[in-house]
């Protein structure tokens, strides 16, 4: 009899915990609004994948998928009006966002070519490299703690096409 009451009590406690958690979870996600669009090359009009998109002034960002599509979830408290787009072979640009119509943004990046100087490679003993790295520990690491943010991945499927959105 005691086992039955214990089992019933734990069931109701689990159910109650699940109800509160799901309500809090849905409220937290309702606060987001989403900015979405596509990034293309200005000259060729081809879509660009792996373009970094970040909200200015915040640690919120994402990367375009294979089709050049991005989706960025933003909290209403994040009051930045611009996003920054950057890619290795392109000039970084900033675009103003319209909070009333945040979807369907079409962005174009200008190609940028960089001419590099010649590189000379010479062998160095591994022990010397380790000593040099140890000497620069104080220079490369701050004395204060740093807060890092997480990363999640979201997959959206429309018909036969699958889009993957990432957020840092």
């Amino acid at each position: 009899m005691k086992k039955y009451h214990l089992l019933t009590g734990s069931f109701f406690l689990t159910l109650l915990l699940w109800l509160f958690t799901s309500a809090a979870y849905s409220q937290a996600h309702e606060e987001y609004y989403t900015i979405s669009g596509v990034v293309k090359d200005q000259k060729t009009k081809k879509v660009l994948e792996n373009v970094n998109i970040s909200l200015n002034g915040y640690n919120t960002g994402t990367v375009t998928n294979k089709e050049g599509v991005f989706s960025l979830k933003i909290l209403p408290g994040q009051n930045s009006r611009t996003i920054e787009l950057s890619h290795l072979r392109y000039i970084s640009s900033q675009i103003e966002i319209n909070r009333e119509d945040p979807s369907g943004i079409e962005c174009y990046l200008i190609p940028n070519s960089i001419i590099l100087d010649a590189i000379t490679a010479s062998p160095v003993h591994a022990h010397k490299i380790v000593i040099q790295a140890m000497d620069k520990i104080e220079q490369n690491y701050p004395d204060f703690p740093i807060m890092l943010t997480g990363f999640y991945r979201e997959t959206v499927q429309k018909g036969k096409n699958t889009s993957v959105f990432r957020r840092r």
Side-chain angles (χ1 to χ4, degrees), residues 137-152:
I137 288 176
E138 290 182 17
Q139 179 183 352
N140 291 332
Y141 294 98
D143 294 335
F144 54 89
I146 297 174
M147 187 171 95
L148 300 175
T149 58
F151 178 90
Y152 79 88

Side-chain angles (χ1 to χ4, degrees), residues 38-94:
V38 64
V39 181
K40 297 180 179 181
D41 184 299
Q42 188 180 36
K43 288 184 179 180
T44 64
K45 307 296 188 242
K46 291 184 179 180
V47 295
L48 299 174
E49 63 179 298
N50 298 322
V51 176
N52 183 42
I53 294 127
S54 59
L55 186 65
N56 284 357
Y58 297 96
N59 290 337
T60 303
T62 189
V63 180
T64 58
N65 63 8
K66 279 194 323 189
E67 290 84 28
V69 176
F70 69 92
S71 178
L72 183 62
K73 293 183 179 180
I74 300 173
L75 287 169
Q78 296 175 325
N79 296 323
S80 179
R81 294 277 182 201
T82 57
I83 56 173
E84 183 171 354
L85 293 90
S86 61
H87 193 280
L88 279 177
R89 299 179 307 183
Y90 294 87
I91 298 172
S92 296
S93 67
Q94 293 188 0

Side-chain angles (χ1 to χ4, degrees), residues 5 16 19 28 46 50 71 78 90 118 125 129 139 144-145 158-159 163 168:
H5 288 297
L16 188 63
L19 287 173
K46 291 184 179 180
N50 298 322
S71 178
Q78 296 175 325
Y90 294 87
H125 195 272
I129 294 173
Q139 179 183 352
F144 54 89
K158 292 181 182 178
S163 301
R168 283 186 274 145

